[in-house]
Amino acid sequence: MLRNEVISFCVVANVEHIPIRRGRPPSARSREAALATTVELLAEGGYGRLTTAAVAKRAGVSTATLYRHWESKDALVTDAVSGLVAEIRIPDHGDVRRDLLSLMHDAVRLYTTSVAAPALRGVTTEMAHNAELRDTIRERFLAARRTALREVLERGSARGELVGAIDCELALDLLGGPLFYRFLITGGPIDEALAEGVVDVVMARWAAPSEGGGRRRSK
């Protein structure tokens, strides 16, 4: 067995086909091929059926090459999953609701992407009894999304769009929880309507009062 933020949660590359850039050095190409193959195999059979031998065979690399890059299967899997949200662009439309919607729409795409979604589902199941994988996924996959959302919330508070006493941890749970719940438990639709509904709940709870005494209206 080999030994990396989701599971964030935000800008997600289209992983239906992950191109391997041929102009890169052989070691970089083999690493990219292994990561792309890991995502594919996670989507096809889940964490339990994934082996380093299968990754090496499909990626066209040796198992020794895998061990040079990753010391364990968990390290390989975590690296591959974290790469699904490698760069989270934090929007700044000058309006907290629009910024939150941008991040939530990205999360919708993550959970409904044909390859990323089943890959994440398989890893999440394994997290329940694999403490090392759980901790690293939280740090490198989930934390990235929460950091992005937190920055948007704090910026909204600083601009006076949200109340200063906002409970950020609760707001982050409210923003992420419904999507994750439908993704893993109910199988309900994860769509733009859900994203907007969740954002509206957060705004209804923490939007700063307008001068007229009502809640401040977003742009």
Side-chain angles (χ1 to χ4, degrees):
M1 299 287 284
L2 293 176
R3 167 188 57 79
N4 84 127
E5 169 175 80
V6 52
I7 289 152
S8 259
F9 300 132
C10 282
V11 171
V12 180
N14 181 356
V15 295
E16 196 158 330
H17 173 66
I18 306 176
I20 307 303
R21 290 166 284 182
R22 299 299 176 188
R24 308 195 70 192
S27 61
R29 291 201 303 270
S30 64
R31 187 178 189 280
E32 289 182 355
L35 291 172
T37 299
T38 300
V39 172
E40 293 172 1
L41 292 176
L42 282 171
E44 293 172 11
Y47 177 92
R49 295 178 60 186
L50 183 143
T51 65
T52 57
V55 171
K57 181 178 180 179
R58 182 178 294 189
V61 302
S62 68
T63 53
T65 296
L66 293 185
Y67 281 102
R68 281 199 297 272
H69 290 293
W70 302 279
E71 65 183 35
S72 70
K73 172 182 171 179
D74 286 355
L76 172 61
V77 169
T78 308
D79 222 5
V81 173
S82 296
L84 298 178
V85 286
E87 292 184 19
I88 298 176
R89 298 182 183 91
I90 303 176
D92 189 359
H93 299 291
D95 178 76
V96 66
R97 184 176 184 277
R98 287 183 62 194
D99 290 343
L100 289 173
L101 282 174
S102 291
L103 291 175
M104 293 298 291
H105 289 161
D106 288 333
V108 167
R109 286 192 289 274
L110 169 65
Y111 288 127
T112 55
T113 296
S114 59
V115 174
L120 290 172
R121 186 174 287 110
V123 170
T124 304
T125 301
E126 176 66 16
M127 287 170 60
H129 49 84
N130 186 327
E132 182 180 3
L133 181 65
R134 179 175 65 245
D135 291 344
T136 51
I137 288 290
R138 284 174 176 171
E139 291 170 6
R140 295 188 55 181
F141 182 73
L142 294 174
R145 174 172 168 74
R146 290 178 75 89
T147 297
L149 288 166
R150 183 188 301 276
E151 181 171 328
V152 168
L153 292 171
E154 292 176 346
R155 196 168 56 204
S157 292
R159 287 197 301 243
E161 298 173 85
L162 301 175
V163 296
I166 182 172
D167 183 340
C168 260
E169 292 303 313
L170 177 57
L172 293 172
D173 289 343
L174 289 172
L175 288 164
L179 277 71
F180 207 58
Y181 182 69
R182 288 191 179 183
F183 179 65
L184 291 177
I185 307 299
T186 70
I190 300 174
D191 51 22
E192 305 304 307
L194 175 61
E196 292 185 16
V198 170
V199 170
D200 285 343
V201 167
V202 170
M203 294 299 299
R205 173 63 180 83
W206 285 293
S210 65
E211 293 183 359
R215 291 292 182 182
R216 185 184 299 271
R217 295 180 62 86
S218 290
K219 299 177 183 178

